Amino acid sequence: MFESAEIGHKISKAAYREAVPALRAALLGAQVDLHENRKIPVVVLISGQDGAGKGETINVLYQWMDPRFISTLAFAEPTDEESERPAMWRYWRSLPPKGRIGIFAGSWYSDPIRQRIQGEISLKELDARADQINRFESMLVSEGALVLKFWFHLTKDGQKKRLKDLESDPRTAWRVTKWNWDRLKTYDQLQDVAGHFLRVTNTPWAPWVVVEGADDRYRSLTVGQILLAALQKKLASPLLPEAPVAPIVRVDTDGRNVLSELDLKLKLADKPYEDELAQWQGRLSELVRDARFKGRSLVCAFEGADAAGKGGAIRRIAVAMDARQYQVTPVAAPTEEERAQPHLWRFWRHLPRKGHVAIFDRTWYGRVLVERVEGFCTENEWLRAYSEINDFEHEMAEAGVIVVKFWLQISQEEQLKRFKEREKVAFKRFKITDEDWRNREKWDAYQQAICDMVERTSTGNAPWTLVEANDKNYARVKILRTLCERVEAELKGDAAPAVTVKEKSATKKSGKAAKRDKSGA
Amino acid sequence: MFESAEIGHKISKAAYREAVPALRAALLGAQVDLHENRKIPVVVLISGQDGAGKGETINVLYQWMDPRFISTLAFAEPTDEESERPAMWRYWRSLPPKGRIGIFAGSWYSDPIRQRIQGEISLKELDARADQINRFESMLVSEGALVLKFWFHLTKDGQKKRLKDLESDPRTAWRVTKWNWDRLKTYDQLQDVAGHFLRVTNTPWAPWVVVEGADDRYRSLTVGQILLAALQKKLASPLLPEAPVAPIVRVDTDGRNVLSELDLKLKLADKPYEDELAQWQGRLSELVRDARFKGRSLVCAFEGADAAGKGGAIRRIAVAMDARQYQVTPVAAPTEEERAQPHLWRFWRHLPRKGHVAIFDRTWYGRVLVERVEGFCTENEWLRAYSEINDFEHEMAEAGVIVVKFWLQISQEEQLKRFKEREKVAFKRFKITDEDWRNREKWDAYQQAICDMVERTSTGNAPWTLVEANDKNYARVKILRTLCERVEAELKGDAAPAVTVKEKSATKKSGKAAKRDKSGA
């Protein structure tokens, strides 16, 4: 990969002076088009060897373009804020919105390369990180981003020479420290690890561009011209490239599915409800104050039809915790800021720190539910969202986040009854809108979307729990119990249990009976 | 993933009888369209638990469709032929050509799952296999194939019941052996491993379809309907889905590249040529008879402009070996059979067994050279080919194949001289055609394509060696020497050396001088 970057490329001062003005004008023009018209997010990674001119190149790009629409993100050791969340969190929150250029000085490549050189991770683990990165970048590209990855290369001799040159010039001598000279010793190791890592992340959708770093003018001009060509090509092409996707299939040949099989007659009388509720709330309160929870965090995802009782269930969970420890995020239509980002961005930003709990009232599943059914996104977008969501939850689970997902199922009749009640009760009336009535008409389409969602996203790390929610007592206790049992198992170090699809036994249950039932399910 | 396949799906005899005739007719119709008009290859994987009806389903599909255009491939323990080649070789050679349906009973999923259950590979290794499989299936889909992956699922109780049912019926009792009952004991393990593996290979382009296996009629009807819907959707859509690709970039800002930097004046006089040739041929002869070579194999790839001297160099290698040990494959336009397959298929089929050597006169790089320049394939196709080729060579290297690649570079003037010589010499005249003259006109486009090829496919496992070939003596010795040194290093267990781009020192060399030169390059 480094062949072309070892031949001593050089641009004369005269040639540089001649080329730059036209390049600057064209870059500015493309940038305006990008920002004003096409609203494309541009991700530029500047990486490579020390002393190969990373910082200088970024400064040149700032001189050439309009700095108001560029951000540069530098990543050193993770902050507390960052280290208490999944590794990709700090990159997600730094993604440039549509129309802006985000320059990453150091990126999702830095840590894996460093960790491998220091022997902290094995080659297999490095490859696993490559796979994760490839999926992440594929998602960015599918979401419309232009991703440009530069690697600045120097030969070993070239690196030595460059450090000496910098040292000998009083204007740049300060930039060379003992640290730089030490890094020279690990040159071969870096070349070895980076050579492999670049190869396995050299994807068709986001290939590496290796640029020789020795000559400032060559390097600047080459990066500028490549950036310009890529911007112009992107500006001229359709906004969203469509990756191949297979259509959805249906397995309900006999008309039955995971929802139709739920026993919505399940009920819990008020007295045992009060008892059990108190019991599980107490248990939850203990669990989130458990010392072992300090190194973990909890994400509760609530989905369900309108009036299925999500809000009520969430309140029953919340009261068991200290308000400083949890955050409830109601998910409505995305804000303008959120619409300028990949669809999962607005959920990444709300991920909890260690020891904390995030409860989502509606979730990242909107894309495969309401957005699918209402046609708010393309078929290609929701079809690939299943994998993107699985990757998202997988990254959470890997970082120690406990992901618990509930679907609250009610019957059409029960929904109608609740709508009518809401219209009657003054303080509940605001909760029912015309939209709620319209959604009812699409009941069957939603049921299909929910089945597909469970089929494709109920995973070992993050299983769905389907909740029979016609009876609020029953639903709330099942949710609290599932939550407690799951957190308890995770704190004990057990894997996530097999998915709970349906309860096997009958109506009223004591706490004990419920436990037996669960273990048999 | 298994939720919907655990609810006891069932189709009554009456409903089945009513549905089948229309389904059969539609399947036959789609099959004809597939074979006669659209020429789409269809890959159907039938996998899942023992006793879940894999064999029965395949038989039903044969009853319903035209068996002349279906092949069923069953994979048990690898044969000698198969185990001496990369793991994917036996699947590549079984791929259905365009227009046919290939049913895989057992597939690229079987081995990784089995190996993980038996503890032969770690979870990280399993994930690496998943990544490899995802890339392979992505390539199939990009090449126009329809890929359908069925997993037949039974609950543990369901599996027990099914075995008992089969045993109690005299017509099917023979199908149940002790082996089946033993497998029941590993049910949980299989569920655990398969659950994970299915999740990580559940891609948007080739998702899994999990089908409950307990009821024969439900299972058959569901598979038939899904196959029909997928065929109809595929027949109605454009032939080639286009995955996102980034355009090619140029780094020769200063007009210099790896080819322009080659010193084509390098020469070797006849006398030292004879000596060195004999020396390296002797060494090669020893190396391929070395005991350590019995567990390895060698693939030599030759590319170069017309009249660059590929044939002559290949003959100098060949004479050093026993004709039973090597095979020279001249690559011309693909045959009809080859055109009905993914572009790498015709190279996979010629991979050597262990202890053997395959020499390719022109190679799988045709796609990013002649096919790119002449427009024989789309930009999307050649842009993604770089990764497909890297994957191909990576799979070879992983299986112990030593991959050595030579680009023979001559100047335009030298080519013209050789063309004219060929026209003069009677027995060489057949070697020069109008096409050769036409290709000369595209010299610059080819030089760019070659630079891009080196940039993107010169990897640690399979580096390119660029050969200064204006002087045939010099070129042949450099090729033989590079080959010997590489094979020697591999047999010693060293990794592939850094890429040799160019020779640093001057013309005439003794064997010793050449070696010194090499180590300094």
Side-chain angles (χ1 to χ4, degrees), chain A residues 84-92 108 128-137 139 296-297 299 344 348 351-352 354 364 387-403 459 461-462, chain B residues 199-200:
Chain A
E84 293 190 4
R85 293 189 171 87
M88 292 300 287
W89 186 78
R90 60 178 180 156
Y91 304 112
W92 269 91
W108 39 92
R129 303 285 282 273
D131 184 31
Q132 187 185 29
I133 286 174
N134 288 341
R135 288 160 173 259
F136 172 65
E137 292 176 354
M139 178 280 303
R296 307 292 297 270
S297 59
V299 166
L344 287 171
W348 270 96
L351 290 194
K354 284 192 177 150
W364 43 97
S387 304
E388 292 165 355
I389 287 171
N390 283 340
D391 289 344
F392 173 44
E393 293 176 353
H394 180 70
E395 284 175 54
M396 283 198 265
E398 266 204 325
V401 184
I402 304 165
V403 183
T459 62
N461 285 330
Chain B
R199 179 179 72 76
V200 291

Side-chain angles (χ1 to χ4, degrees), chain A residues 8-9 218 222 251 253-254 256, chain B residues 8-9 218 222 251 253-254 256:
Chain A
H9 285 287
Y218 166 78
T222 303
V251 292
T253 320
D254 57 352
R256 293 166 64 198
Chain B
H9 285 289
Y218 166 78
T222 303
V251 292
T253 319
D254 57 353
R256 294 164 65 198

Side-chain angles (χ1 to χ4, degrees), chain A residues 321-330 350 352 356-360:
Chain A
M321 296 182 289
D322 182 326
R324 288 165 299 183
Q325 198 182 9
Y326 72 87
Q327 189 73 47
V328 180
T329 302
H350 292 300
H356 286 70
V357 177
I359 303 173
F360 289 89

Side-chain angles (χ1 to χ4, degrees), chain A residues 396-462:
Chain A
M396 283 198 265
E398 266 204 325
V401 184
I402 304 165
V403 183
V404 190
K405 308 185 294 197
F406 296 101
W407 172 264
L408 276 62
Q409 177 73 1
I410 51 171
S411 64
Q412 270 188 290
E413 300 69 39
E414 179 65 24
Q415 191 187 39
L416 186 63
K417 205 181 100 200
R418 293 188 187 179
F419 278 8
K420 285 183 175 161
E421 273 166 21
R422 285 185 178 184
E423 287 189 318
K424 268 184 270 175
V425 183
F427 76 93
K428 281 188 174 175
R429 200 169 296 152
F430 74 95
K431 289 174 89 176
I432 180 120
T433 65
D434 285 353
E435 206 186 321
D436 293 323
W437 289 104
R438 272 198 306 278
N439 287 346
R440 275 179 65 80
E441 291 164 17
K442 296 184 174 155
W443 188 269
D444 288 343
Y446 274 103
Q447 300 302 297
Q448 176 63 30
I450 299 155
C451 289
D452 293 338
M453 170 186 85
V454 172
E455 182 70 17
R456 294 199 174 199
T457 62
S458 201
T459 62
N461 285 330

Side-chain angles (χ1 to χ4, degrees), chain B residues 223-335:
Chain B
V223 169
Q225 288 184 353
I226 287 172
L227 178 59
L228 175 64
L231 285 173
Q232 288 176 334
K233 184 114 185 178
K234 187 82 188 169
L235 287 166
S237 66
L239 199 51
L240 289 177
E242 296 222 327
V245 289
I248 210 86
V249 300
R250 302 187 62 152
V251 292
D252 55 346
T253 319
D254 57 353
R256 294 164 65 198
N257 58 48
V258 289
L259 295 178
S260 69
E261 295 306 294
L262 291 174
D263 179 4
L264 296 183
K265 293 196 199 72
L266 288 168
K267 268 196 175 86
L268 193 59
D270 287 347
K271 183 63 187 80
Y273 165 69
E274 300 292 346
D275 293 348
E276 289 209 39
L277 190 70
Q279 179 201 331
W280 291 114
Q281 284 176 336
R283 185 77 196 103
L284 181 61
S285 171
E286 284 165 21
L287 285 167
V288 295
R289 284 179 290 133
D290 189 298
R292 289 166 298 175
F293 188 71
K294 293 205 182 354
R296 308 293 297 269
S297 58
L298 173 62
V299 165
C300 303
F302 281 88
E303 287 286 355
D306 295 318
K310 296 186 293 295
I314 289 171
R315 278 195 301 280
R316 269 53 175 201
I317 292 173
V319 293
M321 295 182 287
D322 182 325
R324 287 165 299 183
Q325 200 182 7
Y326 72 88
Q327 189 74 45
V328 180
T329 303
V331 174
T335 64

Side-chain angles (χ1 to χ4, degrees), chain A residues 464-508:
Chain A
W464 275 104
T465 298
L466 306 184
V467 181
E468 303 83 346
N470 267 10
D471 180 70
K472 288 180 182 175
N473 289 354
Y474 179 83
R476 288 168 187 169
V477 166
K478 178 169 177 179
I479 288 166
L480 264 162
R481 174 166 52 83
T482 306
L483 188 56
C484 287
E485 288 174 344
R486 178 70 193 290
V487 173
E488 192 153 7
E490 287 273 353
L491 294 187
K492 270 193 201 147
D494 297 351
V499 191
T500 312
V501 171
K502 57 171 178 173
E503 300 284 341
K504 284 251 164 76
S505 64
T507 48
K508 275 198 211 172

